[in-house]
Amino acid sequence: MPIRLTHATSLILRALASGRRHGFQIMQVSGLPSGTVYPALRRLEAGGHLESTWEGEASAHAEGRPRRRIYRLTSEGLALAARADERLAEARRLLADDFGLRPVGGGDGGA
Amino acid sequence: MTGRRVGLGDRVLRALVRCAAWAVPRDERARWAEEWRADLHDLRAGGMSFGEGLRWVWGVGRGAGDMGLQEGLMDGWMREMRHALRGLLRQPGFTVVAVATLGLGIGANTAIFSVVNGVVLEPLPYPDSEELVAINSAFPTMGFETFWVSPPEYLEFRERTRTFAQVGAYRGSPASVGGGERPERVPGAVATAELFEVLGVSARYGRTFGPDDDRPGAEPVVLMSWELWQRSFGADPDLVGTSIDVDGVNATVVGVMPPGFDLNDEGIELWEPLGLDPTNPGGRGSHYLNLVGRLARGTDIAAAEREVDELVRGWDEANPGDMHLPNPETHPFLIEPLHDRVVGPVRSALWVLLGAVGFVLLIACANVANLLLARAEARQKEVSVRVALGAGRARLIRQFLTEGIVLAVAGGVVGVVFAWTSLEVLRSVGPDELPRLGEVELDGMVLLFTAAVALFTGLLFGLAPARHIGGERVSDSLKEGGTRTTLGGGALRLRSLLVISEVALALVLTLGSGLLIRSFGELVSVDPGFDAADRVTFQLFLPAAGYGDPQDSPDFHGRLQDRLGSLPGVTSVASMSGLPPMRDLNANDTEFEGLEQREDGPAHNVDYYQTVHGPYLETMGIQVVRGRGFEAGDRTGTLPVAVVNETLARVFYGDDDPIGRRIRPCCGGDAWMEIVGVVEDVKQGGLDAETGTEVYFLAEQVAEIYGFTSRSMNVVVETAGNPLSVVPEARRTVAEMDPTLPIAGLRTMDEVLAGARARPRFLTTLLGAFAGVALLLAAVGTYGVMSYTVAQRAREMGIRMALGAEASSVQALVMRRGLAVAGLGLGAGLLGAWWLTGLLESLLFGVAARDPVTFATVPLLLLVVAVAASWIPARRATRVDPVEVLRQE
């Protein structure tokens, strides 16, 4: 399935570029609404750009919460993330040039 | 992160997450839900509020749904449903009006159907209740269509018939119950032991009556209702086997009946054995028993009727022609299902109500269909484009159907809530007017009915726009371009047709309720024959145990009247045995001196005996029309006197003067009573009934001459105003005279009168409310179609005005159109009503089913409403700006 590199997808790729994260963190880092994140993650996964695993029962149980689903980028995903970064930077430059706007989106996306 | 305490908010959000997961394709649903749960947990731990949580869940669900939609993973109908929901939410005004309209229609239907179901359709709450029959007698030649059965007849009936497994008998007989928290007068009955066997109901605790209880001279025993046991005896588990005070006698409680046990909706709370003596059952002329029989297995009611008809022909061959012996001509038995006996009086009223709410639902559907049509037409261009781009007709039809169904389901939900609320209200306002109301509930069958109605509605109006779109040619509607021109005649015709039916249905309903309102007006204007204002009444029962001598009761009432009469604000006090305007028929054989009982003349039988004490006629405001009323000099030892009503004077004496003639009441001594006066008629058998014949006696003279005393007397107190203000003093006075006497039925006489009109008022109010809703909906419908017409023809109007047409002529154009639609509806409605109001015949009083006044005025009222509904759009038409309209070309 071809991936359309939307703004949201780009932000998600970026959030994952710095390491493994679960859905909640991706939302926090990307600032995207919940309704957007999960479908986008699913599409990326279906396209082979990322893979996901359940965290261990033991740690979830110890903290008394449900298991988290952890996502990480595959090599294709990393390549796509790089392309997305370029696109984001380009877009930001254009916006700043034309309208004098400040860049949007998280900086490095630290949790 | 450590585990948090799980609150209600978390639990709600988790449940919602589970719901949202339904938007995810099935094979991935579990995974997503788990992931969401984990994230929700982290978010909540991070301090997310409940409100934000709700938004988050809504977001994940929506996102998943959108994805499913884009990838075509969602099932077709699910997708349509979502589409429909979104479309409806985009137009909240339309949706609220449509759902509210439907909810009203469906809710009213559910409520009324619940009542019809609980009261009429559900079998009576006895095992194999279809085998139960009510057995009565009749005296058709005397005008008594339903009469009681005498004890000898009961014993003979039970012995001779073979089609009945068993026959029981009872009569209503209120009882004063002491020994509980306080003395209390409760509805009661005396019954044969067989009655409980017939009904097939055993006691919840203890037992019902056995043959040994039900014989003369047996130890007094009673059975108690569950409700009385709960209310007055604190549900004492050891009550069975102990004694309580019943009418001043110690009686052993042998059992407590199950909750809700009753007979013929009389609210019986205490049962005593009838104790008939088979060797000496009492007079043939004394009819007071109600019979309930259980048909033998393998027989049916027709077989029972055949057998009884056959038996009646030769009941007593030794005494042919005796009026009091069962015989086919003058004294047959009547057999009907017990169910008919209980619900008979209200059955037709309930069916009329069900029909009426059905009309309301139809009107609501027509209105929503109109709304959907208007909406479909507004989207016509969009739809045409979609058809042009390849959307299949089937797909569009499915979409419209889904919208209709979604609306109907939403309306159904609103309707159930509305119905539930209305039932609560109905239960609180109508407990005495409807039998079995306590058994009414929103049950499965009713819900099924609602679901069917809702679905039918959805299909009905869902199809209307679908059909319209299906018939449209794409190129035409693209050319027409939506709003610019007069729309293809089809749509307007359909919408006009809907409005015509709405107006017609509304007219039928309004006419029906108009007839009921007029009939109720007639009922209110009936002169009961006495003055009700400023009077209060209550009932006292003096038990044989403490008031054994016949003169004890008149003495007690004499003293009571003296004491009450001296209270401030009291102007007059008296007592009477029967409380007008609605009481049981007496139908007592009475001798008229000097009058022969002729074959073609009236039977020597008087409908009502009224035994009074004190200045009765004055206290009740009953006018003497001839002779005199009772006077202070009429008492024991003086000439026995009687007063008769005008009907009795006319029926028995015709043009002769009854004053000075003598009569002899039934069942007592030889003494004659002299008629000293004729008073105006007082209603006794209900306000809507013909007044019967009536004789008034003085309590102390009846006690003296016949040794007869009326234990149950109604005290009436006339006050100078505000009758309830004397109640506390009156209660205290009674308690001082005899603390064991319960006061029952304390009401103002105005309330007594209102009670006699309660059932017709109940019906009139409900039908009036339905008619009001119908009228409102029809007005909205007419307004909608006329507004639409004006919007469609704005261009034409603009051009007309640009060419110099007067505003008034444009206005007239619109009005003409509106009135044509309304006129057609009124015509159709009149035809329907002419035919349908016949069904109301039995519910009307003093008004013909085709009452010309109602038939002339109500359509005018609807015409006024139609004019008003067309007026606003017509005014709008005149304000069309030609320049504006033409620029839109």
Side-chain angles (χ1 to χ4, degrees), chain B residues 137 139 147-154 171 276 281-290 324 331 586-589 605 666-667:
Chain B
S137 76
F139 287 95
F147 211 72
W148 296 273
V149 176
S150 70
E153 287 165 2
Y154 163 58
R171 70 181 287 209
L276 275 187
R284 285 209 167 262
S286 180
H287 299 83
Y288 59 83
L289 291 175
N290 299 295
H324 284 307
H331 189 28
N586 299 126
N588 290 324
D589 287 343
N605 185 288
C666 102
C667 338

Side-chain angles (χ1 to χ4, degrees), chain B residues 114 118-119 122-125 260 265 427 435-441:
Chain B
S114 295
V119 175
E122 282 279 314
L124 294 174
D265 211 59
R427 273 201 210 100
R436 308 181 70 194
L437 202 57
E439 295 172 45
V440 169
E441 53 189 22

Side-chain angles (χ1 to χ4, degrees), chain B residues 193-194 207-221 254 273 275:
Chain B
E194 291 82 8
R207 56 175 180 86
T208 57
F209 301 139
D212 287 340
D213 302 314
D214 186 22
R215 64 176 47 146
E219 285 296 304
V221 294
V254 294

Side-chain angles (χ1 to χ4, degrees), chain B residues 700-725:
Chain B
E700 57 265 56
Q701 288 193 341
V702 170
E704 177 196 20
I705 299 165
Y706 305 106
F708 174 80
T709 196
S710 177
R711 304 213 157 275
S712 174
M713 293 288 276
N714 298 281
V715 178
V716 58
V717 181
E718 189 197 8
T719 68
N722 192 9
L724 288 174
S725 66

Side-chain angles (χ1 to χ4, degrees), chain B residues 51 161 355 374 669 692:
Chain B
T161 52

